Amino acid sequence: MSIAVVRKPLRADAARNVDKIILAARQCFREHGPEVPLQIIALTAGVGPATLFRNFADKEELVLAALNRQLRESVDPVMADALADIDATAGLLRVLEAIMAAASADANLLGAVAGRRELLTGITGSLMDSMSVLLGRGQGQGTLRSDISMTDMFRLLAMLIGVVDTMEPGSDAWRRPLALIEDAIRTERPHRPLPAHVPLPAPQLQGPQFT
């Protein structure tokens, strides 16, 4: 299923209900975790379960709609600024930062879908097209490696989003692996220290203790 759920135009009252449900879903997943029942989301939204299911066939559809809303609100404006920036590489990195910040903020939403491919499927629309423009510009400016393809970028993004599984929700532990990705894709390695190391959450430490 694509994250971009296709919908018919809604009446004003129905559109308001959809907005309330999506807002409540984001709140409930953050507060209660990925297993929060749909009934709790409906109660938080102030609608009945029938209204929720009339708009969203199941939990996965609601989760994908909420993720899509998060990306549209937090990543699209950053992308617009990046496309207007003369420095394409700096713009591309800001977009990656915005995606990771959104993924961290809604980590429990991500945990409610089976794998990250659903999120990436949604990103493969206009957002990935725009990332391709930034990649081409950066390569033309000589600041990004010329041998990087959009397939590489897609897989690097998948790797980065997978980092969310290894950190606390809302953490900025993703900044260090993103800096390592920046080192790998630039033609010249930046002269700056890596962001601070953030240990793995205690329950994830199995066997050797990573530091």
Side-chain angles (χ1 to χ4, degrees):
M1 178 187 296
S2 171
I3 195 172
V5 180
V6 177
R7 294 183 176 277
K8 296 179 181 179
L10 298 172
R11 302 189 318 272
D13 59 336
R16 284 193 295 270
N17 282 336
V18 167
D19 286 342
K20 289 193 295 184
I21 292 168
I22 290 176
L23 182 62
R26 290 168 65 179
Q27 175 185 337
C28 289
F29 277 104
R30 289 183 182 183
E31 293 178 355
H32 304 291
E35 304 303 324
V36 61
L38 290 177
Q39 290 82 355
I40 298 296
I41 295 174
L43 181 64
T44 303
V47 303
T51 299
L52 188 151
F53 285 111
R54 187 161 56 246
N55 289 283
F56 301 99
D58 53 30
K59 193 173 189 177
E60 181 179 87
E61 186 173 316
L62 174 55
V63 166
L64 294 179
L67 286 170
N68 184 59
R69 178 71 62 86
Q70 168 73 322
L71 289 175
R72 300 289 73 79
E73 290 179 358
S74 59
V75 179
D76 283 1
V78 178
M79 178 60 80
D81 289 343
L83 290 170
D85 194 332
I86 193 171
D87 187 339
T89 298
L92 178 60
L93 290 166
R94 288 200 304 274
V95 170
L96 292 177
E97 287 180 357
I99 292 171
M100 290 308 300
S104 176
D106 280 320
N108 286 334
L109 272 174
L110 289 172
V113 293
R116 300 298 178 262
R117 190 174 299 173
E118 295 291 355
L119 177 59
L120 292 176
T121 298
I123 294 175
T124 55
S126 60
L127 188 54
M128 286 303 282
D129 290 340
S130 297
M131 288 180 66
S132 179
V133 171
L134 293 174
L135 175 62
R137 288 180 184 173
Q139 290 172 326
Q141 292 169 355
T143 52
L144 290 175
R145 291 177 51 157
S146 61
D147 55 352
I148 297 174
S149 69
M150 276 306 297
T151 298
D152 295 324
M153 290 302 303
F154 184 90
R155 287 174 172 155
L156 289 172
L157 184 56
M159 289 165 54
L160 281 172
I161 292 176
V163 169
V164 173
D165 286 333
T166 71
M167 65 190 202
E168 298 288 355
S171 168
D172 65 350
W174 51 267
R175 292 190 179 279
R176 189 177 176 94
L178 177 57
L180 292 171
I181 293 294
E182 179 182 0
D183 289 352
I185 66 176
R186 280 188 178 273
T187 51
E188 295 185 8
R189 182 174 174 178
H191 296 288
R192 47 99 174 101
L194 288 174
H197 169 76
V198 179
L200 292 170
Q204 297 189 25
L205 296 178
Q206 302 292 332
Q209 301 293 294
F210 298 108
T211 57

